[in-house]
Amino acid sequence: MNLPDADIITTTARRAADTLRLHLNPVYLFMDAELKQLPETWNRGEGTTLHEGRNTVRRMRLAGVDVAVKRYKRLGGLKRLIYTFFRPTKAIRGLVYSLEYRRRDIPSPEGIAAIEILRGGMVVDCYLVTVMSRGRNLFPELVPVEDYDRNRVSNLADFLVTMHRRGVMNTDTNLSNLLVDATPATPFECIDINRSVFTAENFSYRSIVRNLARVTHRRDLLLTIVMRYATTAGLHPQAMWDDVAAELDRFERKIAMRNRFKTIFRKKRTNH
């Protein structure tokens, strides 16, 4: 997997039971010492938890800077092999992609560092450190709101057009991965961007349709977004909505089928 070029400094530090590998945005060299102590700081429970699930996100303060720290789920045996030898970790992708977003003038919290913990030469844990955004999550401001802000939605559609025209696409685009009003000049910010793709050319119409179908399952809201997107991009609104709606149908059928298989598998495990 090829990553965009990025100016990153990589150092390693041997510890009692493992090795810490630090990938650092050189703008934040002054944080080097505190970043190398981050796993211990984390294990002491420091910081404020913002999200806890498969991955955990905390707000912390390092070297006088408010940062967001994401600790990814600990890697199992197969994934340790994959992320050590064949694929960059999500933390490294998050760091490099954040710098690429900013290079292409698409707002995203600035990446500070990716930290990998290795045991026996294999990656077992990783952390992503970014500047803490002041933005709010977009999902609760639109999806559960019956009379949502249509100006906000129009601006969102225009923002997605701008992203795609600048050769940036988050293949995990959804309203939970967008922040709003980080600054007066930044109406939207992208987070959770490690599944992004970049191009120096135009994205295909088919890839844009697939991308838009991931934005939300709320059909009336998605309709408004797609119609505005098509108008701004100079495409046929109704034809584009028909294509996005069909893609969403396929996506939801795939999710339903996957959930059925998971339910069957869990029942079999319980019975045994």
Side-chain angles (χ1 to χ4, degrees):
M1 180 179 188
N2 295 323
L3 294 175
D5 292 333
D7 184 13
I8 290 172
I9 299 170
T10 299
T11 58
T12 59
R14 293 298 301 272
R15 306 177 339 149
D18 52 42
T19 299
L20 181 146
R21 189 157 58 199
L22 173 66
H23 308 270
L24 180 61
N25 178 347
V27 173
Y28 294 94
L29 270 172
F30 65 93
M31 284 189 178
D32 180 85
E34 290 197 39
L35 287 166
K36 286 175 178 174
Q37 294 299 316
L38 180 63
E40 286 75 20
T41 305
W42 181 282
N43 290 336
R44 289 196 299 269
E46 295 189 23
T48 302
T49 300
L50 303 177
H51 172 79
E52 190 156 17
R54 181 176 54 185
N55 308 313
T56 302
V57 181
R58 291 185 195 167
R59 177 177 184 152
M60 304 179 79
R61 192 164 180 82
L62 301 177
V65 178
D66 286 332
V67 301
V69 181
K70 175 184 278 190
R71 179 179 178 172
Y72 293 92
K73 181 181 177 181
R74 178 161 291 178
L75 298 175
L78 179 59
K79 287 189 176 180
R80 290 182 186 186
L81 180 68
I82 292 170
Y83 285 119
T84 299
F85 297 108
F86 302 108
R87 187 177 176 85
T89 62
K90 291 180 180 180
I92 292 179
R93 296 203 307 271
L95 172 62
V96 172
Y97 289 176
S98 77
L99 302 180
E100 182 67 13
Y101 267 62
R102 295 171 72 84
R103 189 183 75 80
R104 296 182 185 232
D105 201 23
I106 299 298
S108 182
E110 186 176 14
I112 295 173
I115 299 168
E116 298 171 314
I117 306 298
L118 293 84
R119 292 198 185 102
M122 306 280 277
V123 179
V124 295
D125 281 312
C126 54
Y127 303 78
L128 173 66
V129 185
T130 66
V131 174
M132 185 70 206
S133 174
R134 297 182 179 180
R136 306 183 308 277
N137 192 280
L138 182 57
F139 184 96
E141 299 197 10
L142 292 181
V143 175
V145 180
E146 183 176 352
D147 188 20
Y148 54 80
D149 184 339
R150 291 185 175 272
N151 287 332
R152 173 88 76 192
V153 172
S154 293
N155 292 337
L156 169 62
D158 293 347
F159 176 71
L160 294 174
V161 172
T162 299
M163 279 186 67
H164 295 161
R165 283 178 173 171
R166 292 179 183 171
V168 179
M169 180 181 289
N170 184 356
T171 60
D172 192 27
T173 293
N174 65 71
L175 299 180
S176 295
N177 290 343
L178 288 162
L179 304 179
V180 292
D181 298 338
T183 72
T186 310
F188 299 100
E189 270 191 326
C190 301
I191 60 172
D192 288 343
I193 58 174
N194 60 62
R195 294 183 183 176
S196 296
V197 292
F198 304 94
T199 181
E201 304 173 355
N202 294 326
F203 288 110
S204 69
Y205 175 78
R206 188 73 243 161
S207 66
I208 291 171
V209 165
R210 286 196 299 268
N211 195 233
L212 292 177
R214 303 299 189 269
V215 172
T216 179
H217 293 273
R218 180 175 166 180
R219 300 275 173 144
D220 63 320
L221 174 57
L222 184 60
L223 171 62
T224 304
I225 293 170
V226 171
M227 288 296 197
R228 173 69 179 210
Y229 184 105
T231 300
T232 301
L235 300 169
H236 191 286
Q238 186 59 52
M240 187 171 218
W241 168 245
D242 291 343
D243 291 338
V244 171
E247 178 63 30
L248 182 56
D249 287 339
R250 284 191 289 271
F251 181 51
E252 290 179 338
R253 285 196 298 270
K254 183 179 178 180
I255 291 173
M257 183 176 296
R258 185 189 307 147
N259 290 338
R260 283 197 295 271
F261 279 126
K262 285 181 178 179
T263 301
I264 293 170
F265 181 69
R266 280 195 296 265
K267 285 181 179 178
K268 286 185 177 180
R269 290 186 63 181
T270 301
N271 292 336
H272 284 72

